[in-house]
Amino acid sequence: MNTSNELTSATLPLVAPRRALPLPLLEAGLVVTWSSGFIGARFSIDYAPASLVVFWRCVVVTLILFPFVARQLRQTPRTVLLKNAGIGLLAMAGYLIGVTEGIALGVPAGLAALFADLLPMGMAVLAAVVLRQRLGRRVWAGLLIGLAGVMLATHDALALGSAPPWAYALPVLGMLSLAVATLWQKQAPASQAMGLLPNLWLQCFVSTFAFAVVAGWHGSLAPVANSGFVTSVLWTVALSTLGGYGLYWMCLRRSSATRVASVLYLSPPLTLLLAWAMFDEPLSWLMALGMAVSTLGIGLVIRGEARQAQEPA
């Protein structure tokens, strides 16, 4: 067995993927829907606290999906449910609470997004230090170049803000929470498999309780009676949860964790482009340059992993 490779997709605890759509097309959809989460958060802040929106988005997803997954959930062993529930708490509740609460405490949205988009580096460091996985020099170079592209693209949107010093750690902890969940999912044996929709339902279900605690701490859990709140919830249900997280796990079972995370380097510049289109926020030539640099870095990661996979054990 080639131990230098990242854990193969065969070990991911999800059912065998349908290969009707090419992986690059799924990755493009992932970038668009993942970016939509930041746009949804930006839109929702004028109507309700971010924690209340994510609470109700999880409630709605659990209600919509339950009729389609109830039978599969009943047939799933309790140990498998518990393991995937833990992954869901880290991937969804841990990540979103870290980012949204950091912003709520005064961390600028651009800086919080930059911390969150350190995911490829955080995942690579955890894989190397904790799991003793070896990543080639091209992969590391690609990750660093991709990060440089993100910093270029978001340069004009960054500000230090007035949050208490400890609040700046929250988006970083959220990023690390998603990184741990991703590696845990990738490492789990195939015998603990769950289908994509049951897995999404379970993750939203357990995260609902975490979001209820946070949203309840800030105020009432009652929905806000205006169209902006409803639009925010439906936007994040369809695009951010079913689209973003659904495509994230789909891509993860088709390729390596490092590749999936590195593709998300394109999320910040696309988010800024969408913010320009929807909220008339300014664009700059650094955004285009940053996206080009990030694309170069992603290409190096993909080629580096392909070359590493061909090396003898």
CSV table of all heavy atoms in Angstrom, one decimal, residues 4 52 63 148 156 184 188 200 211 214 219-220 223 228 234 261 294 313:
chain,number,residue,atom,x,y,z
A,4,SER,N,2.3,7.0,1.3
A,4,SER,CA,2.6,8.5,1.0
A,4,SER,C,1.3,9.1,0.5
A,4,SER,O,1.2,10.3,0.5
A,4,SER,CB,3.7,8.7,0.0
A,4,SER,OG,3.3,8.2,-1.2
A,52,LEU,N,-29.7,32.9,14.7
A,52,LEU,CA,-31.1,32.5,14.5
A,52,LEU,C,-31.4,31.9,13.1
A,52,LEU,O,-32.2,31.0,13.0
A,52,LEU,CB,-32.0,33.7,14.8
A,52,LEU,CG,-33.5,33.5,14.8
A,52,LEU,CD1,-33.9,32.5,15.9
A,52,LEU,CD2,-34.3,34.8,14.9
A,63,LEU,N,-36.8,18.9,8.7
A,63,LEU,CA,-38.2,18.6,8.4
A,63,LEU,C,-38.4,18.2,6.9
A,63,LEU,O,-39.2,17.3,6.6
A,63,LEU,CB,-39.1,19.9,8.7
A,63,LEU,CG,-39.2,20.3,10.1
A,63,LEU,CD1,-39.9,21.6,10.3
A,63,LEU,CD2,-39.9,19.2,11.0
A,148,ALA,N,-1.9,32.5,-0.9
A,148,ALA,CA,-1.5,33.8,-1.4
A,148,ALA,C,-2.5,34.5,-2.3
A,148,ALA,O,-2.8,35.7,-2.2
A,148,ALA,CB,-0.1,33.7,-2.1
A,156,ASP,N,-8.4,44.1,-0.1
A,156,ASP,CA,-9.1,45.4,0.1
A,156,ASP,C,-10.3,45.2,1.1
A,156,ASP,O,-10.8,46.2,1.5
A,156,ASP,CB,-9.6,45.8,-1.3
A,156,ASP,CG,-8.5,46.3,-2.2
A,156,ASP,OD1,-7.4,46.6,-1.7
A,156,ASP,OD2,-8.7,46.3,-3.4
A,184,TRP,N,-11.8,13.0,9.8
A,184,TRP,CA,-12.5,11.9,10.5
A,184,TRP,C,-13.4,11.2,9.5
A,184,TRP,O,-13.4,10.0,9.4
A,184,TRP,CB,-13.3,12.5,11.6
A,184,TRP,CG,-13.9,11.5,12.5
A,184,TRP,CD1,-13.8,10.1,12.5
A,184,TRP,CD2,-14.8,11.8,13.6
A,184,TRP,NE1,-14.5,9.5,13.5
A,184,TRP,CE2,-15.2,10.5,14.2
A,184,TRP,CE3,-15.3,13.0,14.2
A,184,TRP,CZ2,-16.0,10.4,15.3
A,184,TRP,CZ3,-16.2,12.9,15.3
A,184,TRP,CH2,-16.5,11.6,15.8
A,188,ALA,N,-12.8,7.1,8.2
A,188,ALA,CA,-13.8,6.1,8.7
A,188,ALA,C,-13.9,4.9,7.8
A,188,ALA,O,-13.8,5.1,6.6
A,188,ALA,CB,-15.1,6.8,9.0
A,200,LEU,N,-26.7,14.1,5.8
A,200,LEU,CA,-27.0,15.5,5.9
A,200,LEU,C,-28.1,15.7,6.9
A,200,LEU,O,-28.0,16.7,7.7
A,200,LEU,CB,-27.4,16.0,4.5
A,200,LEU,CG,-26.4,16.6,3.6
A,200,LEU,CD1,-27.0,17.1,2.3
A,200,LEU,CD2,-25.6,17.7,4.2
A,211,PHE,N,-27.1,25.1,17.7
A,211,PHE,CA,-27.5,26.4,17.3
A,211,PHE,C,-28.6,27.0,18.2
A,211,PHE,O,-28.7,28.2,18.4
A,211,PHE,CB,-28.0,26.4,15.9
A,211,PHE,CG,-26.9,26.1,14.9
A,211,PHE,CD1,-27.1,25.2,13.9
A,211,PHE,CD2,-25.7,26.8,15.0
A,211,PHE,CE1,-26.0,24.9,12.9
A,211,PHE,CE2,-24.6,26.5,14.0
A,211,PHE,CZ,-24.8,25.6,13.0
A,214,VAL,N,-26.9,28.6,21.2
A,214,VAL,CA,-26.3,29.9,20.8
A,214,VAL,C,-27.3,30.9,20.5
A,214,VAL,O,-27.3,32.1,21.0
A,214,VAL,CB,-25.4,29.7,19.6
A,214,VAL,CG1,-24.8,31.0,19.2
A,214,VAL,CG2,-24.2,28.7,20.0
A,219,GLY,N,-31.1,35.6,22.4
A,219,GLY,CA,-32.5,36.1,22.5
A,219,GLY,C,-33.5,34.9,22.2
A,219,GLY,O,-33.2,33.8,22.5
A,220,SER,N,-34.6,35.3,21.6
A,220,SER,CA,-35.6,34.3,21.3
A,220,SER,C,-35.3,33.4,20.2
A,220,SER,O,-34.6,33.8,19.2
A,220,SER,CB,-37.0,35.0,21.0
A,220,SER,OG,-38.0,34.2,20.6
A,223,PRO,N,-39.1,32.6,15.0
A,223,PRO,CA,-38.7,33.2,13.7
A,223,PRO,C,-39.1,34.7,13.6
A,223,PRO,O,-40.1,35.1,14.2
A,223,PRO,CB,-39.5,32.3,12.7
A,223,PRO,CG,-40.6,31.8,13.5
A,223,PRO,CD,-40.1,31.6,14.9
A,228,GLY,N,-37.5,39.1,4.6
A,228,GLY,CA,-36.1,39.0,4.5
A,228,GLY,C,-35.6,37.8,5.3
A,228,GLY,O,-34.7,37.1,4.9
A,234,LEU,N,-34.5,30.3,3.5
A,234,LEU,CA,-34.6,29.4,2.3
A,234,LEU,C,-33.3,29.4,1.5
A,234,LEU,O,-33.0,28.4,0.9
A,234,LEU,CB,-35.8,29.9,1.5
A,234,LEU,CG,-37.2,29.7,2.2
A,234,LEU,CD1,-38.3,30.3,1.3
A,234,LEU,CD2,-37.4,28.3,2.5
A,261,ALA,N,-10.5,20.7,-0.2
A,261,ALA,CA,-10.3,21.9,0.5
A,261,ALA,C,-9.6,23.0,-0.3
A,261,ALA,O,-9.9,24.2,-0.2
A,261,ALA,CB,-9.4,21.6,1.8
A,294,SER,N,-4.9,31.7,-7.1
A,294,SER,CA,-5.5,30.6,-6.4
A,294,SER,C,-5.7,29.4,-7.4
A,294,SER,O,-5.5,28.3,-7.0
A,294,SER,CB,-6.8,31.0,-5.7
A,294,SER,OG,-6.6,31.9,-4.7
A,313,ALA,N,5.5,2.4,-3.6
A,313,ALA,CA,5.3,2.4,-2.2
A,313,ALA,C,6.7,2.4,-1.5
A,313,ALA,O,7.6,1.8,-2.0
A,313,ALA,CB,4.5,1.2,-1.8
